[in-house]
């Protein structure tokens, strides 16, 4: 089992920045690919970014590329999402997720943290 707890959400004006954190506990954090996904009201959950277990590989959704940066600190069992130049359309509940390398489905999820961007 892997337990994930997100923090760092809040209300920010358009153009502002936030940094989300996801603290992991349980099985070996460094073995897992970590990701961030989000769900806006009335929309399906969508992929935002992921980072490989060593941190050497990252991928981003086109809508956030160049504005968001995912990183991880395996010594602290924490993954981060730095969000810059925020837009109102970034408003959503952001979820941290974990999966083993080579698997397609996200196996473990956090409870989510709300990000609201005002115009």
């Amino acid at each position: 089992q892997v337990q994930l707890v997100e923090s760092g959400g809040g209300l920010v004006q358009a153009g502002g920045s936030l940094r989300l954190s996801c603290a992991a506990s349980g099985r070996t954090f460094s073995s897992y690919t970590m990701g961030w996904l989000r769900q806006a009201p009335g929309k399906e959950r969508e992929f935002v970014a992921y980072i490989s277990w060593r941190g050497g590989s990252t991928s981003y959704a086109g809508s956030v590329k160049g504005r968001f940066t995912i990183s991880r600190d395996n010594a602290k069992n924490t993954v981060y999402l730095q969000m810059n130049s925020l837009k109102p359309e970034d408003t959503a509940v952001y979820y941290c997720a974990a999966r083993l390398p080579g698997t397609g489905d996200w196996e473990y999820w956090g409870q989510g943290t709300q990000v609201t961007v005002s115009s």
Side-chain angles (χ1 to χ4, degrees):
Q1 286 284 349
V2 175
Q3 292 80 42
L4 304 171
V5 179
E6 302 98 333
S7 61
L11 174 64
V12 65
Q13 288 189 332
S17 298
L18 281 175
R19 188 175 83 154
L20 305 183
S21 299
C22 173
S25 60
R27 291 189 176 178
T28 307
F29 170 76
S30 59
S31 299
Y32 285 82
T33 296
M34 300 299 297
W36 288 95
L37 298 92
R38 67 186 181 186
Q39 187 166 20
K43 295 188 177 181
E44 295 198 354
R45 193 174 296 183
E46 65 175 0
F47 166 78
V48 175
Y50 84 78
I51 187 167
S52 62
W53 65 286
R54 284 185 177 177
S57 178
T58 58
S59 180
Y60 298 90
S63 58
V64 308
K65 200 168 187 178
R67 300 188 297 122
F68 291 10
T69 302
I70 189 171
S71 61
R72 67 190 295 163
D73 186 338
N74 287 344
K76 295 182 178 180
N77 284 6
T78 302
V79 62
Y80 305 97
L81 186 69
Q82 178 67 43
M83 305 186 294
N84 299 328
S85 302
L86 283 161
K87 305 175 181 180
E89 51 263 44
D90 294 319
T91 295
V93 177
Y94 283 71
Y95 297 91
C96 175
R99 69 185 186 201
L100 288 171
T103 60
D105 296 331
W106 296 101
E107 184 174 1
Y108 300 103
W109 294 83
Q111 82 289 350
T113 185
Q114 177 70 47
V115 171
T116 302
V117 184
S118 63
S119 56

